[in-house]
Amino acid sequence: MIVGGGFAGVTAARELSARGRRAVLVEARDRLGGRTYTKDHDGHPMEFGGTWVHPLQPHVWSEIDRYDAETETFPVPEGLRQAVVCDGRVVDLSDEDAARALEAFAEFCAPATTMFPEPFSEMLGPDPDGLTDRSLREQLDAFKAEPELRDWVEGMCCAIAFGPLEQSGATEAFRIYALSGHSAAQTLASLSATKLVKGTRELISSIAEQATLADIRLNSPVRRVVQTDGGVRVELESGEAVSAPTALIALPMNVLNSVEFEPGLSEIKRTASADRHAGAGMKCFVRVKGDIGNVSIVAPEAQPINWLVTYAHGPESSWLIAFAANPKKLELAAFDDVQSMQTALQSFLPGVEVESVVGWDWANDPLALGTWCIYRPGQLTQVLPDLRTTEGRLFFAGSDSARTWRGFIDGAIESGYRSARDIDNYLTS
Ligand SMILES: Cc1cc2nc3c(=O)[nH]c(=O)nc-3n(C[C@H](O)[C@H](O)[C@H](O)COP(=O)(O)OP(=O)(O)OC[C@H]3O[C@@H](n4cnc5c(N)ncnc54)[C@H](O)[C@@H]3O)c2cc1C
């Protein structure tokens, strides 16, 4: 039995099939993919959720190879205008400036060398300064650099956290920097350089197609999970119940408490779900009038948008992707509030006229209650590894508790491999 049809749950279903195990997968939505969501709009396959992948992310990259999914570089490097908003004005960055910005980011992430010496092993190095309890905001306040470089580094932190910086752990930036080979350039590339041409939906469909022994049921929200002497009973909102020897809970950390568990989950899991991780930003696609060219503009937290990048452009109109780490600063009356978005974009593209805004409101989506997983200060040591610790016949998977690329598609896939293996071993023993 698998609860949740994101990359973690679907990968586990395929891996169990490969091991000759049958599973029922129940997914609340009318589609697979969870926090990845490719939606066709205005002739473009838009990624409303997870988008970027990278060869340094071994699990997702092996899936890309396995299914021969085509990738492309995005943002398009040719003619890319790079800039940072500093003191309320846009400052263009030459290639040399961009290189200096990367150096500044490497300096900011210097503690990663001692804290995450071997990031793929999950070993945490010494932390004499108590950085695991420090927020990105506190760490940035102590960071000195020229104003443009400092604001660029802060913009990068906003892009990593995608939540308010005072609520996001400083170690999250260090961890991603370490996973990217302790390289600022590779950190940037891991976060935003390569995407799937046909979208994440192609990849998850390929994985699901090979889950040949799985019975995948969409539109099947789970209400309650009861462990009995001989197995697990999963009760759906519809009143139907499915019983199995084990269940894999592949739900986002933030929604664990929306399902009733009997017996209750560990206190750490319940507290983590109640506190939530800090990822609660807003990613949206914004159509503007005319050709605004190929731009990538980073901005510090004081700005309502923290990264603005061209998705497509033409003479009549252009599509931009806007990332807001703290949507409260955007003051949108609704997700598609064109007027407020237009006001917010003036510091980036003076005079720009917004025509429409589309996307998905993950933070208010009851099946996600957040974006990608960014731990709050302290959660790294307090929450992991309990989040993925088996409880009786319940196993746990998901990007939010992955070993390495936590918060990424890669982490979800990695957790799916691991949990399927663990379940198979458990059922064999
Ligand atoms: C805006 C945004 C941008 C992102 N950008 C990137 C990126 O560029 N690169 C990258 O690698 N990652 C990115 N991520 C993160 C990545 O998408 C996620 O970490 C990953 O997809 C999570 O997979 P998962 O299977 O662990 O969880 P999910 O995808 O959340 O899957 C969990 C599933 O459980 C279902 N569910 C919830 N409650 C119930 C219930 N009661 N009953 C049944 N089913 C239920 C949900 O509908 C969902 O399908 C982004 C995420 C967001 C939101």
Side-chain angles (χ1 to χ4, degrees):
M1 181 81 220
I2 299 172
V3 180
F7 268 94
V10 174
T11 303
R14 183 198 61 194
E15 295 298 299
L16 285 168
S17 292
R19 290 166 184 267
R21 301 271 181 206
R22 297 189 170 279
V24 176
L25 184 154
V26 281
E27 163 57 48
R29 301 180 200 269
D30 61 1
R31 61 171 183 86
L32 295 174
R35 281 171 282 172
T36 59
Y37 182 19
T38 317
K39 180 103 166 53
D40 292 319
H41 186 81
D42 201 24
H44 300 280
M46 295 182 177
E47 295 283 14
F48 286 173
T51 306
W52 283 279
V53 290
H54 192 271
L56 274 175
Q57 297 163 351
H59 303 92
V60 70
W61 205 259
S62 84
E63 299 297 334
I64 288 168
D65 268 346
R66 183 195 298 230
Y67 298 112
D68 200 17
E70 199 186 341
T71 58
E72 64 187 352
T73 305
F74 175 72
V76 177
E78 287 79 35
L80 182 66
R81 174 188 166 215
Q82 295 198 69
V84 59
V85 179
C86 182
D87 285 337
R89 68 196 169 89
V90 183
V91 179
D92 280 2
L93 299 175
S94 64
D95 288 350
E96 198 185 314
D97 294 334
R100 288 171 60 234
L102 287 175
E103 279 167 26
F105 186 68
E107 196 186 322
F108 177 76
C109 290
T113 315
T114 41
M115 291 197 76
F116 297 97
E118 292 174 40
F120 285 92
S121 79
E122 223 187 10
M123 183 185 84
L124 198 59
D127 180 21
D129 300 326
L131 296 181
T132 49
D133 292 326
R134 198 172 293 174
S135 70
L136 271 169
R137 167 53 58 213
E138 288 169 305
Q139 197 67 10
L140 275 163
D141 285 348
F143 180 66
K144 303 272 176 281
E146 288 168 39
E148 286 85 1
L149 301 184
R150 207 204 149 283
D151 282 350
W152 190 88
V153 170
E154 182 164 324
M156 270 294 277
C157 290
C158 290
I160 286 172
F162 212 38
L165 295 183
E166 88 269 4
Q167 293 173 20
S168 309
T171 45
E172 296 294 65
F174 306 155
R175 175 180 66 94
I176 291 168
Y177 175 80
L179 283 166
S180 307
H182 295 273
S183 152
Q186 289 303 317
T187 305
L188 200 58
S190 303
L191 294 174
S192 57
T194 309
K195 73 185 243 313
L196 294 156
V197 173
K198 292 189 185 157
T200 50
R201 76 178 155 203
E202 184 198 29
L203 192 61
I204 198 145
S205 304
S206 301
I207 300 174
E209 266 170 38
Q210 288 200 314
T212 47
L213 297 182
D215 170 6
I216 296 178
R217 302 184 190 173
L218 301 177
N219 302 305
S220 303
V222 169
R223 189 178 63 80
R224 191 159 171 256
V225 175
V226 184
Q227 295 199 57
T228 58
D229 283 345
V232 181
R233 191 176 68 250
V234 172
E235 299 174 2
L236 307 184
E237 294 285 359
S238 63
E240 205 187 327
V242 185
S243 293
T246 61
L248 174 64
I249 310 302
L251 299 175
M253 158 180 155
N254 288 2
V255 308
L256 275 179
N257 285 352
S258 326
V259 173
E260 195 185 325
F261 288 91
E262 202 182 306
L265 295 180
S266 72
E267 197 182 330
I268 293 181
K269 286 191 183 71
R270 281 184 282 124
T271 306
S273 183
D275 291 348
R276 299 190 186 179
H277 61 69
M282 180 178 161
K283 172 186 182 182
C284 47
F285 287 73
V286 183
R287 197 173 75 184
V288 299
K289 225 178 202 167
D291 190 344
I292 48 89
N294 189 19
V295 301
S296 169
I297 308 175
V298 168
E301 194 178 27
Q303 290 292 330
I305 302 285
N306 307 106
W307 187 34
L308 189 70
V309 62
T310 301
Y311 177 62
H313 62 110
E316 298 295 314
S317 63
S318 306
W319 277 102
L320 294 155
I321 312 180
F323 287 83
N326 190 343
K328 281 194 186 127
K329 292 189 195 293
L330 253 176
E331 293 175 1
L332 298 185
F335 196 87
D336 56 356
D337 177 350
V338 165
Q339 197 51 51
S340 302
M341 183 58 78
Q342 179 159 307
T343 307
L345 291 189
Q346 294 310 308
S347 327
F348 293 76
L349 300 167
V352 73
E353 284 180 57
V354 173
E355 294 180 336
S356 62
V357 181
V358 292
W360 195 261
D361 190 0
W362 299 102
N364 292 307
D365 172 346
L367 302 173
L369 293 179
T371 52
W372 61 80
C373 173
I374 284 293
Y375 284 158
R376 291 167 188 271
Q379 279 185 329
L380 177 69
T381 46
Q382 289 153 18
V383 164
L384 275 175
D386 181 88
L387 258 194
R388 57 171 183 256
T389 299
T390 305
E391 298 192 20
R393 290 170 174 270
L394 298 189
F395 292 74
F396 295 85
S399 175
D400 304 356
S401 60
R403 279 182 205 277
T404 50
W405 286 95
R406 177 167 45 74
F408 291 78
I409 298 165
D410 185 90
I413 294 170
E414 171 234 293
S415 77
Y417 291 162
R418 171 182 43 77
S419 53
R421 183 197 59 217
D422 292 350
I423 290 171
D424 188 36
N425 288 343
Y426 173 85
L427 293 173
T428 306
S429 64

